């Protein structure tokens, strides 16, 4: 029956319309099968480049990561510290000596300034001595912190430097002199008359002795040679500093160095008590009253904070970095002394970024024993780690923060985010009062506020508008915070010590030989 029916069906003549319809359906079905299978092939074996470019979220995340970590463009700028053809090397009288005592809190600038002053005055410079009456009561000497021999030999063409005053001059009458702050070249030329009556000048105070601006180019470059080439840390400090950097890199390829200047002496000096208990505020007031060289006794803490003169608190730092866009997993090295308020205050930062690291956790007890009770040497370790970080963030613009920022600029404008404390305080208060919420709008405001505060090349800022007389010098940006344009040039060839390589260092120079030879300042 089935065979007969099939034969009958086949033998039946099909109409042309039916045949066309059959062919069309067969063709459509074939196209469907091809598209379906082709779709499965693309989905199972995606091309990585096409996938990343076509996925808007992936592209956004990649861009955001670049913005968080990449250094700003240096626009072809390079270090330039070589003397000009007009420069005259050391021309000194062997019987004239200048003895400098420096306070460790601003040693970076002080040592370099005294090298330049000795050159201007044709004096022999005696290795500076560390002030031991400071808050830290540190017994370190110059050679404990710096490579003394390297310091002397590197500058031998600029100024004569000796380790100590010759015995025949130890008892001669000295001119004890407090040179005027931010003085020009002409001032020190006049001071040379002191040599008429004295063989030794005792420089009792040496911080901010030279002007930031309007000095001869060769004097400015001498300051940079002293700062970035002559001042190497001592071998034990550089060795451990390099180990700390390597260990951070092993934990996470990138890290932030946070100079958290929330220590007892800084809060007492600035009179900042926001968020502290009454007992803590009173303790700081007594400390300030009992410190002779802190001239301002009565300070309005609220006015200090509104004016942006207070260090950011640990909690404020956490809010700030989160608003900038850093994820909670970010590795943060905390460069600081003992945080006022201890773990209770640090926990406020850790609630935002739990991956905090301190040198005490990064190094062994045996490694740190040599630096115990020597705050200056400990600060030098923090300086090294901060200098080599992917991103440097200071919570306050103190001496160390300015020195690190300037050094990072010199080495290739490495990324440094300087918080706008005055602007942030306003946003923090609005956030606290409920006028702002911790949402994208708050982050947008913070990011826009700091768009141009990330270490990109710019010329040094002059005095604040409206300030007249000598007071204007105090408002100028520090030469050591930004040595551009005198020591950073837009030249196709590096005028000084060779070309920089891609990561901002000099080829052939290891980290301990080039990038960590600055003076740390608390």
């Amino acid at each position: 029956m089935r065979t007969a029916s099939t034969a009958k069906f086949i033998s039946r003549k099909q109409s042309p319309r039916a045949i066309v319809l059959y062919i069309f359906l067969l063709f459509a079905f074939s196209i469907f099968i091809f598209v379906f299978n082709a779709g499965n092939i693309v989905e199972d074996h995606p091309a990585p480049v096409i996938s990343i470019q076509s996925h808007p979220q992936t592209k956004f995340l990649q861009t955001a990561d670049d913005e968080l970590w990449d250094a700003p463009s240096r626009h072809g700028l390079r270090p330039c510290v070589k003397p000009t053809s007009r420069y005259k090397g050391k021309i000194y009288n062997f019987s004239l000596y200048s003895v400098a005592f420096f306070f460790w809190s601003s040693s970076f600038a002080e040592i370099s300034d005294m090298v330049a002053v000795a050159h201007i005055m044709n004096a022999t410079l005696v290795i500076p001595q560390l002030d031991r009456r400071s808050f830290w009561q540190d017994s370190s000497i110059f050679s404990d912190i710096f490579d003394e021999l390297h310091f002397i030999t590197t500058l031998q063409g600029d100024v004569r430097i000796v380790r100590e005053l010759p015995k025949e001059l130890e008892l001669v009458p000295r001119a004890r002199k407090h040179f005027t702050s931010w003085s020009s070249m002409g001032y020190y030329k006049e001071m040379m008359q002191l040599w008429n009556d004295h063989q030794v000048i005792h420089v009792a105070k040496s911080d901010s002795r030279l002007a930031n601006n309007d000095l001869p180019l060769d004097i400015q470059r001498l300051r940079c040679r002293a700062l970035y080439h002559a001042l190497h840390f001592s071998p034990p400090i550089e060795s451990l500093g390099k180990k700390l950097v390597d260990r951070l890199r092993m934990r996470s390829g990138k890290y932030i160095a946070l100079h958290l200047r929330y220590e007892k002496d800084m809060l007492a000096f600035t009179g900042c008590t926001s968020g502290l208990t009454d007992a803590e505020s009173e303790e700081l007031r007594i400390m300030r009253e009992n410190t002779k060289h802190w001239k301002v006794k009565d300070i309005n803490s609220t006015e200090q904070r509104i004016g942006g003169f207070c260090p950011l608190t640990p909690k404020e730092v956490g809010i700030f970095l989160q608003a900038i866009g850093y994820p909670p997993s970010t590795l943060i090295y905390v460069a600081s002394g003992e945080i006022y308020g201890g773990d209770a205050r640090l926990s406020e930062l850790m609630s935002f970024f739990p991956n905090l690291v301190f040198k005490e956790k990064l190094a062994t007890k045996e490694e740190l024993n040599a630096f115990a009770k020597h705050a200056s040497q400990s600060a030098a370790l923090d300086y090294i780690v901060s200098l080599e970080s992917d991103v440097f963030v200071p919570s306050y613009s103190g001496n160390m923060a300015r020195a690190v920022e300037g050094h990072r600029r010199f080495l290739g404008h490495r990324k440094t985010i300087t918080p706008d404390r005055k602007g942030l305080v306003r946003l923090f208060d609005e956030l606290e009062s409920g006028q702002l919420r911790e949402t994208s709008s708050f982050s947008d405001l913070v990011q826009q506020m700091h768009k141009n505060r990330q270490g990109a090349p710019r010329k040094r800022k002059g005095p604040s508008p409206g300030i007249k007389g000598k007071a204007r010098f105090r408002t100028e940006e520090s030469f050591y915070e930004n040595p551009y344009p005198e020591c950073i040039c837009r030249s196709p060839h590096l005028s000084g010590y060779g070309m920089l390589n891609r990561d901002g260092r000099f080829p052939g120079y290891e980290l301990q030989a080039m990038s960590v030879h600055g003076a740390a300042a608390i």
Side-chain angles (χ1 to χ4, degrees), residues 239-259:
S239 176
L240 182 55
K242 185 180 185 299
K243 289 179 182 178
L244 298 183
V245 173
D246 290 342
R247 290 167 189 173
L248 284 166
R249 296 288 182 210
M250 291 177 64
R251 289 196 179 194
S252 175
K254 299 176 181 178
Y255 70 93
I256 292 176
L258 169 65
H259 187 229

Side-chain angles (χ1 to χ4, degrees), residues 106 108-110 112-113 182 207-213 220 223-224 227-228 397-407 409 458-463 472-486:
S106 53
F108 213 148
E110 291 183 47
S112 299
D113 273 3
W182 299 293
D207 61 312
S208 302
R209 294 307 98 183
L210 273 174
N212 293 304
N213 304 301
Q220 297 288 56
R223 295 167 89 178
C224 290
L227 198 64
Y228 303 126
S397 58
N399 293 311
M400 176 173 170
R402 290 194 293 268
V404 171
E405 179 177 355
H407 203 159
R409 287 181 178 277
R458 62 169 175 79
K459 289 187 177 181
R460 196 165 53 254
K461 297 176 183 177
R472 73 184 186 278
F473 297 127
R474 186 181 295 275
T475 65
E476 291 179 338
E477 184 176 19
S478 168
F479 172 79
Y480 299 106
E481 185 176 357
N482 183 11
Y484 178 66
E486 297 92 340

Side-chain angles (χ1 to χ4, degrees), residues 69-280:
W69 296 104
D70 285 2
S73 173
R74 71 181 71 175
H75 300 289
L77 295 172
R78 298 177 176 87
C80 47
V81 296
K82 185 178 180 180
T84 69
S85 59
R86 299 182 300 274
Y87 181 72
K88 295 181 180 180
K90 58 183 179 183
I91 304 174
Y92 52 81
N93 186 324
F94 281 93
S95 64
L96 307 181
Y97 287 82
S98 173
V99 184
F101 290 81
F102 67 89
F103 295 94
W104 176 249
S105 63
S106 53
S107 62
F108 213 148
E110 291 183 47
I111 296 172
S112 299
D113 273 3
M114 291 314 302
V115 167
V117 168
H119 174 84
I120 295 170
M121 297 184 66
N122 296 335
T124 296
L125 178 66
V126 179
I127 285 290
Q129 299 180 20
L130 184 68
D131 175 65
R132 301 183 182 184
R133 297 170 298 170
S134 64
F135 170 78
W136 299 102
Q137 297 293 304
D138 193 337
S139 60
S140 300
I141 60 175
F142 188 91
S143 59
D144 291 330
I145 306 167
F146 304 108
D147 187 332
E148 192 172 78
L149 179 60
H150 180 83
F151 178 68
I152 294 172
T153 56
T154 301
L155 295 171
Q156 62 185 358
D158 301 293
V159 62
R160 183 174 182 241
I161 303 174
V162 295
R163 287 186 170 86
E164 57 187 14
L165 196 66
K167 292 183 178 180
E168 63 269 20
L169 294 178
E170 289 179 353
L171 300 179
V172 301
R174 307 181 182 187
R176 182 180 176 88
K177 185 65 179 176
H178 285 226
F179 290 132
T180 302
S181 299
W182 299 293
S183 295
S184 64
M185 185 86 162
Y187 171 84
Y188 286 104
K189 290 292 186 182
E190 294 179 3
M191 289 299 104
M192 290 181 68
Q193 64 184 343
L194 292 171
W195 299 130
N196 295 332
D197 302 313
H198 304 278
Q199 289 181 286
V200 177
I201 299 176
H202 174 193
V203 185
K205 188 176 182 181
S206 52
D207 61 312
S208 302
R209 294 307 98 183
L210 273 174
N212 293 304
N213 304 301
D214 301 323
L215 288 175
L217 177 60
D218 278 320
I219 296 300
Q220 297 288 56
R221 289 190 177 181
L222 173 56
R223 295 167 89 178
C224 290
R225 288 199 298 278
L227 198 64
Y228 303 126
H229 289 275
L231 280 173
H232 283 218
F233 287 121
S234 63
I237 292 176
E238 289 200 0
S239 176
L240 182 55
K242 185 180 185 299
K243 289 179 182 178
L244 298 183
V245 173
D246 290 342
R247 290 167 189 173
L248 284 166
R249 296 288 182 210
M250 291 177 64
R251 289 196 179 194
S252 175
K254 299 176 181 178
Y255 70 93
I256 292 176
L258 169 65
H259 187 229
L260 189 58
R261 195 65 168 95
Y262 201 77
E263 296 142 336
K264 186 176 181 180
D265 66 312
M266 178 52 67
L267 294 176
F269 173 73
T270 57
C272 296
T273 59
S274 176
L276 301 181
T277 64
D278 291 341
E280 289 172 330

Side-chain angles (χ1 to χ4, degrees), residues 409 418 447-456 458:
R409 287 181 178 277
T418 52
Q447 291 176 21
Q448 187 62 33
M449 183 183 294
H450 294 84
K451 185 177 181 180
N452 297 320
R453 301 176 66 94
Q454 304 198 23
R458 62 169 175 79

